[in-house]
Every structure is written in C-alpha cells, then in structure tokens.
Amino acid sequence: MSQKKIWNDAADPFVKSVTYDWLGPYEPTLERQELDGRLTHVTLSFSLEEQVPQDDWQLQIMPAFAPKFHWAPHLTPTDNHIIDQHCFRSPALIVHDERQWLAVIPDLDLLAAGTPVRWYMDMDAGRNVLTLGMSNYKVTEHVLFEKAEGAVYPPGDVRIGFYIMKCDLDSIANPWRPVLAFLWDRWGGKLFRQGAPKVAPLERYVEHTYRWAFENWADSVWQEFELDGVKVGAPAFIVDVSQSPNYPGIPSEREARSIWNQAWFSSLRSAQGLYRYGTSKGNEELVRRALMTKELALAAPLSNGVFPAVIGTEMETLQIDGQTVNRSKGWGTSFWGNSNRNPIHPWGSLRDAPYHVLDMSWTALLMLRWYEELERDERLLAYAEAYAERLLALQDEKGYFPAWLNKSTLEPYEILKDSPETSLSVTFLLKLYEMKKDDKYLTAALKAMDIVMAEVVPDGRWEDFETYWSCCPYGNGRVGSKVPRNNMYKQCNFSIYWTAEALLQCYLATGRQRYVSVGERCMDELLMTQASWQPPYIYVEALGGFGVMNCDGEWNDSRQSLFAELIVRYGIELDRTEYIERGIAALRASFVMMYCPENEKTKIQWEKAHPFFTERDYGFMMENYGHEGATNPEGRGMGRFTIYDWGNGAAAEAYLRMRERYGDMLRERYGQSLSRGEERR
C-alpha cells in the first residue's frame, strides 16, 4: 500500500506530519486551504476507473508536540479497534500539552454527501498518532468497534476530508469550546434555525404520553395498590412491546415488575410533570395519580437515615402454549430493595442490592423540589432532612460521599468511594441550605465540590454506576485506571452532568467565579456527547440528542430530557445563544423516539420494527436509538421496550417544568420557543 506525506513542515509547532494511503494504485488529488490563522481544511479526492477492494485506508496525523491530554468520542483499546462513524455525534480528536492545542474534525459535509465505505477515527496516545480512515466494521462486546474485512470502492469519485484546528493553550478556556463552537456554527446551529430536530408542538407529545400510560396501555403500565393502609401508585418501571394491546402473541414481562426512584428511573420526577399537567388542565384524576406516586416515595422505609430506591414484586416463570413467559405474582408479594445496576450484586436481586447514595440524594432532592415548587407537604422536607443528617456523617475526610452502603451494616463499600457521583449530593445539600440556611449543609457541599474539582475534573475521571454496571461491562475490572492506548478513562456523561449542575449551584450559592468557570468546562465536555449535526445514516431526527459514554452506541438517549434544562440555565447565566439553542434542541429531541403520527421518520422505523403497532400504541417511546452500534433504513436501531420514567414520562416532565420556569424568559430575551408552533395552555 503506497503512502505519502502531505504535511512536512519542520517549522510548524503543531503538526509534524500528515501521511495518507493510496487507494489501490490510485493517488488522490489534494486540496489544502488555510481558512484563517488557526483552521486548515484538507480534502483528498480519488478518481477510480475500476473497482478497488481495500480493507483499510488511513490518513495519519502526528502532532509536533507530546500531548498530556487526549480526548476522543470512543475508546479504541487495541490497534484493531476504531471509532466508527456511528459515534460521530460531535466528532473530533483533541490533544494538548502545556502550550499547544490541536484538534482534528472530519468534514461532515463530505460524509453527509455519501461514501462507499464507512469513515472512522482513531487515537493512539502512545505512538502520538491521530487517524482518519475508511473501513468496514463489526461491533464487539457492548459496544466497541473493530475493523472488518471486505471494503470495496466502486468506480467513480471518492472524497474524504477534515479540518485541523490549532491554537495556543492560553487562548482557550477549555479544550472543547473551540470545537463545539465550530460544529454548531457550521452545522448544528444552521440546522436548528431551519427547524431541526423536526417535531410538532411539544404538548401533543405530552398528551400522547399520558393517554398511552393511563388509558391505552394502562393495564400494563399503571400500578395501583395499598401499603399500610395508604393508596399508592406509579407507572411500572419497564414494559415490553409484547405487552402492547395489539401484540399478536403472548405477553411477557422483561424484568421484575417494580417501581423505581433511582438516578435514571425516577417515578417521583415523572410525577411532578403529571402534577403540573393535571393541575393546569383541571384533571383531578391525573393529580390524584401524581399524589399517589408522592405517597409511594414517602412510604419507602426510612431507617437510620437511609431508604430503599425500589419496590418490586415476586416473579414467576410460566409455560403458556409452549412459550416461556415471565409474570408478576402481584403487589401482594411486594418488597423493598434497590437498583441491581451495581458492582456488589450486578444484575442480581433487587431485594439484595446495596443502598445507593446517589439514588437517595436524587430522590431527596426531588422531594425538596416538590415541596418548594408544587405543594408544601412538610413530610417531604422532614424526610429529606433526616436523610441529610446521615449523608453528612458519610462524608469522608477528603470530602467525597461514598457510592454504595452495605445492606446490613450500612458501611460504605470501597468501590467508587471517591467518584463524581458525589456531585449529586452536593446539589441536594445546596438546595437544603437554600431552604434552611444552615451552614453545615453549605460547608459539606463546598468541601465535596472542591475535591471533585481537584481530582476528577482535570483528568476526566467520569466513572459512575452506569459507566461499568449497566449494559456495557467493558473495563469494570480496571475501575480507576485509564485505557493506556487512549490515555482516557472509560467515561459516562451522567457524572459530567451532575458535576456541571453542582458547580452552577455552588456559584449561585457563593458568587465565586471559579465554580462557574469549571462548570462551563464540564458543560462543554458534556456537549461533546450531543449530536451537532444530522447524519444521513441515522434514520430518525438526531440533532440535539445525546449519547451516553465513550464505550456505547446510543443516539437520542432519554437523558437529554434531564440535561436540557441545565444547558439552558448555563446559556442564561453566560448569555450564550449556542447553549440556549443546544438546550432547546435537546428538549425537542427528547420526544423524537415517540411512536406517533407527528414523528414521520420515527413512525416509519417503528412500523418496520414492529408491524403490529397501531394508534393504540401512540406514545410508546424507546429510551434511545442505535444502542447496539448499528442502524439501517429497515428498522434496525429501534428497541423493544419503554421506560416511562426514562422516556416519555421523563420527557413530559422536562418540558412542563421548563415551560413553567423558563418559557416566557426565553421568548422575551432570546426570541426562542421551547416548543414548535402555538402551544395550548
């Protein structure tokens, strides 16, 4: 395979060399354009007279300095691993040392125009090489990408291109800001202002959500029962397409029938949206159901300052017409437990799972928000205060709060005892300080925030429960260690979000500029996991939607409904229009995966994946798209289940909360509407 250098300037302090392969016997035509003092655009064009089989084509960029910092959108732990274009949400490779900063950004216009072989990137920190390439791929583990054989280029033109961005480190505030600004200015912002992501007025999706949960799918979704003489209720944690009223086969429950108040699946969060909606519409039945969910949260037994996050039922396996199905034994068999997404009993029994400090802090924070914003139920405040006393006692000498507590002894486990999960507890304590004006909450919160700023943020150690103990187990045997080839930790954007939120709250509580400055850095790192364009190989609306981590495949993950408000809040605080647009795009993207006539592209994909869907399924919404690292126009990438509290119910809550808190301000100050068209009030 022939190679040639197109960049070999010994005087360039940023780029030592750029080397490219030929395609078979064909050498490309090169075009190099200096766009300004720090931005260069390079295009390579091949004119093929015959079909060319070539498994791998590479262009390698070698920085002229030895970077200390590396960032890529996905992990590539070996030479055969790649960052397939499936992960090109805000694609870039970024490196810097103490003085120089360099980024490589694929030319998304060329990629969108079509390519016979998929693009990829790679970052080898040890060899100091940044790669843009073309290859077939395969998904291994969950989810890593590897090169695959069989790439063939037909006769005709093949073009690939990229941007090199470079500047002195002292001219940028954080390593992601120049890339994000460039991506939004060149692609995302233009698409947003042209109407992307394409959605209907958001209240229509709210109506679909509540009709789906409480009417059409109510037999499977809504759970109502009695605990100690009190009526409680909430939507089930998860339902499967087999539970559709239109399903032609035998229904089966995907996981144990349960209700969660956990960092993802929070029935108390979703109920706040239902309460707002029911109150605004004068719908007493919806308000009643929201209040029943509040009662369920308060029913979780508070003992020694800790409480469980999950209530579940016993399950049984049955044989029906020769098919094995899972069924609940009913709420008469209910028990309290915790999330099974944990390192102590991974994917084990809910009953045996350890207490998760993160889940407790989130639920207690939601109790305070309900008390402050919806109704002054003194039980909520008392419950949160009782938990806060235990939380303060759990803080270690450095300032961290532990992740998990032993179910029996309540002693902290060692694993993730110094993680950024601490940041959510900071936000909870600051809200309690705001309400009670007790300095002990502020002191503990700032101590925790300072250690996260010192030990987690600079190195990108974004390790939390989802990083290792959700669907992607890669690396869970090396917690606390970087992937050597990439000089990066396995990272989840959930803990980046908690930290950005906590830093903003610290700034608002103290007025200290350093908190919002570091918060902006965290916000930009978070936004590198947001889609800044619309790829042609993603067959639903994608702009504004979020991925999850640097070792997974999701687009449009439901977390965007949680992130949207914080992005807008930073936009207001920093008066940054880009953030306002990104936050609104994230909110609108929160409804893109819903099955309903308003989402034309998504509806087509749903009906290809599940042809039995009808209007009785309007409102069904998978939590993400392309989770397994592959999509196609025939419905691949669509899922089989929906989680009300991490999907349609969560999106409805986010919209209703943001409309109430920021709707008028955004219209008056920025000329922006959270929704599309005229909203019905």
Side-chain angles (χ1 to χ4, degrees), residues 519-595:
E520 180 186 358
R521 173 191 168 99
C522 292
M523 174 56 64
D524 282 347
E525 189 168 5
L526 177 73
L527 291 174
M528 291 299 296
T529 65
Q530 184 184 36
S532 294
W533 69 305
Q534 176 65 53
Y537 49 84
I538 297 297
Y539 300 99
V540 298
E541 296 288 321
L543 183 73
F546 273 85
V548 170
M549 64 177 80
N550 59 4
C551 197
D552 221 331
E554 297 93 338
W555 287 73
N556 286 348
D557 191 82
S558 186
R559 68 200 56 227
Q560 59 225 359
S561 74
L562 189 65
F563 295 174
E565 180 179 353
L566 184 65
I567 302 168
V568 166
R569 288 180 63 200
Y570 266 93
I572 294 169
E573 191 63 43
L574 300 175
D575 196 23
R576 181 168 293 160
T577 300
E578 178 195 328
Y579 281 178
I580 299 294
E581 292 179 343
R582 284 182 175 274
I584 294 173
L587 179 65
R588 294 174 182 170
S590 302
F591 295 95
V592 160
M593 294 309 299
M594 183 176 289
Y595 177 65

Side-chain angles (χ1 to χ4, degrees), residues 72-356:
H74 209 76
L75 295 176
T76 55
T78 73
D79 287 346
N80 202 49
H81 283 98
I82 57 175
I83 305 166
D84 180 72
Q85 66 185 42
H86 183 84
C87 297
F88 284 18
R89 300 177 191 88
S90 290
L93 303 172
I94 305 173
V95 296
H96 70 71
D97 64 4
E98 293 83 359
R99 296 192 309 162
Q100 294 131 307
W101 175 96
L102 179 70
V104 177
I105 304 169
D107 185 337
L108 301 181
D109 287 327
L110 290 180
L111 182 56
T115 173
V117 177
R118 298 176 70 88
W119 291 17
Y120 72 84
M121 297 187 296
D122 186 24
M123 182 176 69
D124 188 331
R127 293 175 53 233
N128 197 18
V129 173
L130 311 177
T131 300
L132 178 64
M134 293 185 286
S135 171
N136 287 350
Y137 81 113
K138 60 183 177 181
V139 179
T140 56
E141 301 186 58
H142 184 98
V143 170
L144 291 170
F145 301 95
E146 294 190 47
K147 298 172 191 173
E149 298 178 350
V152 176
Y153 299 81
D157 294 333
V158 177
R159 302 181 72 205
I160 188 167
F162 60 96
Y163 296 86
I164 288 183
M165 188 179 290
K166 52 190 179 180
C167 59
D168 296 325
L169 194 61
D170 59 7
S171 67
I172 60 172
N174 68 59
W176 298 282
R177 178 93 303 265
V179 172
L180 287 167
F182 176 74
L183 291 171
W184 199 253
D185 179 66
R186 188 166 187 85
W187 290 289
K190 293 177 182 178
L191 288 172
F192 176 82
R193 289 183 285 277
Q194 291 168 5
K198 184 181 178 182
V199 291
L202 298 189
E203 187 153 330
R204 294 187 197 171
Y205 300 99
V206 176
E207 293 166 357
H208 283 307
T209 295
Y210 296 149
R211 188 178 301 115
W212 173 85
F214 305 120
E215 296 178 26
N216 294 341
W217 277 54
D219 289 346
S220 298
V221 175
W222 177 249
Q223 309 295 306
E224 187 172 323
F225 51 100
E226 193 171 289
L227 285 178
D228 298 325
V230 178
K231 274 280 191 180
V232 298
F237 150 53
I238 189 169
V239 290
D240 186 87
V241 293
S242 73
Q243 294 171 270
S244 164
N246 303 304
Y247 185 65
I250 301 170
S252 181
E253 298 190 57
R254 185 182 180 91
E255 294 190 41
R257 187 179 301 179
S258 52
I259 298 166
W260 294 41
N261 274 313
Q262 184 254 6
W264 287 318
F265 321 128
S266 174
S267 63
L268 189 60
R269 175 193 169 200
S270 301
Q272 296 190 28
L274 189 64
Y275 184 94
R276 281 189 165 92
Y277 186 80
T279 301
S280 69
K281 299 295 184 181
N283 190 322
E284 295 181 1
E285 176 58 20
L286 294 185
V287 172
R288 182 186 75 88
R289 295 191 186 208
L291 292 173
M292 291 171 69
T293 305
K294 179 194 70 172
E295 292 298 331
L296 180 59
L298 287 167
L302 185 65
S303 177
N304 295 313
V306 300
F307 57 94
V310 177
I311 186 168
T313 69
E314 298 290 349
M315 301 293 290
E316 59 183 343
T317 301
L318 303 175
Q319 292 292 321
I320 301 177
D321 294 340
Q323 179 178 329
T324 301
V325 298
N326 297 315
R327 294 287 169 82
S328 169
K329 292 184 178 181
W331 288 103
T333 66
S334 67
F335 61 87
W336 290 99
N338 289 289
S339 167
N340 57 5
R341 277 64 163 177
N342 68 76
I344 313 305
H345 303 291
W347 289 87
S349 166
L350 300 173
R351 192 193 298 271
D352 298 330
Y355 290 105
H356 195 187

Side-chain angles (χ1 to χ4, degrees), residues 390-401:
R390 165 60 72 170
L391 181 64
L392 293 178
L394 289 170
Q395 190 170 32
D396 69 14
E397 291 183 359
K398 295 177 75 173
Y400 290 108
F401 297 105

